[in-house]
């Protein structure tokens, strides 16, 4: 971190890790409304046969990170994304291969509580869904975007969107933000502005 606005940097700090001490990758950091810092990543477990999601948190003005927490118990979970709402609830999405294809899944953790059981965001069997970004609006609504294949676009990733369904049960059917069948559209980060407009950007081709 840089308390001097980038003109000077503190010494690197190693976040608490899994006891296995394998390699970790795909880190993401976000800062909540109270200046708490939240870190997620996926890391190697059990000699490389597993890659699970780790989480740690640092209070504002503190130098101490919370103990390592493993989110879920799935053997392979990749590229986690995290966001925090105004109630302090953590929201996390990543992609897993549970039934033969990569799909997007979601967990949440209320302030002072435990991580929930996983929820399925995408379930397009046989078509890979990867690299989710999750963001929260001013009403504490979650929004997920990711790259995914489908029956109409089996060879080129499209940018897909979903949010929790009305009534709080499940997620809405994924929709393509813009279908460009002839070219891949990968890796979409997202953001929400003060008026709750959702912004998504990605690298792609329209030719």
């Amino acid at each position: 971190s840089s308390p001097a606005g980038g003109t000077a940097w503190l010494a690197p700090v190693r976040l608490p890790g899994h006891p296995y001490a394998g390699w970790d990758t795909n880190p993401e950091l976000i800062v909540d409304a109270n200046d708490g810092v939240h870190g997620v990543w996926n890391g190697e477990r059990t000699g490389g046969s597993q890659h699970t999601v780790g989480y740690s948190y640092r209070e504002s003005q503190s130098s101490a990170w919370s103990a390592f927490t493993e989110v879920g118990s799935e053997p392979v979970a990749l590229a986690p994304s995290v966001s925090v709402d105004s109630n302090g609830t953590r929201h996390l999405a990543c992609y897993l291969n549970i039934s033969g294809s990569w799909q997007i899944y979601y967990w949440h953790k209320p302030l002072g509580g435990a991580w929930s059981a996983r929820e399925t965001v995408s379930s397009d069997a046989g078509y890979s869904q990867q690299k989710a970004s999750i963001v929260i609006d001013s009403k504490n609504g979650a929004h997920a975007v990711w790259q995914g294949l489908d029956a109409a676009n089996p060879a080129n990733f499209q940018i897909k969107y979903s949010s929790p369904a009305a009534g709080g049960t499940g997620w809405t059917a994924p929709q393509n933000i813009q279908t460009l069948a002839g070219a891949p559209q990968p890796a979409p980060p997202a953001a929400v502005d003060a008026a709750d407009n959702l912004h998504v950007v990605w690298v792609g081709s329209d030719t």
Side-chain angles (χ1 to χ4, degrees), residues 47-144:
S49 63
Q50 297 182 354
H51 302 271
T52 58
V53 172
Y55 168 82
S56 185
Y57 167 67
R58 193 190 73 184
E59 296 276 0
S60 174
Q61 306 303 315
S62 172
S63 61
W65 287 85
S66 67
F68 168 86
T69 301
E70 195 165 64
V71 181
S73 58
E74 291 72 19
V76 181
L78 299 177
S81 175
V82 67
S83 193
V84 181
D85 67 27
S86 63
N87 295 321
T89 298
R90 287 73 159 154
H91 303 262
L92 185 147
C94 70
Y95 67 102
L96 314 172
N97 188 340
I98 293 175
S99 56
S101 61
W102 296 102
Q103 301 295 325
I104 307 300
Y105 294 88
Y106 164 84
W107 295 257
H108 68 275
K109 178 186 182 299
L111 184 65
W115 287 97
S116 68
R118 72 170 184 264
E119 297 179 20
T120 301
V121 177
S122 69
S123 57
D124 202 348
Y127 297 101
S128 183
Q129 316 294 315
Q130 302 177 8
K131 298 182 179 178
S133 176
I134 190 163
V135 293
I136 307 297
D137 63 30
S138 67
K139 301 178 180 63
N140 292 335
H143 305 267

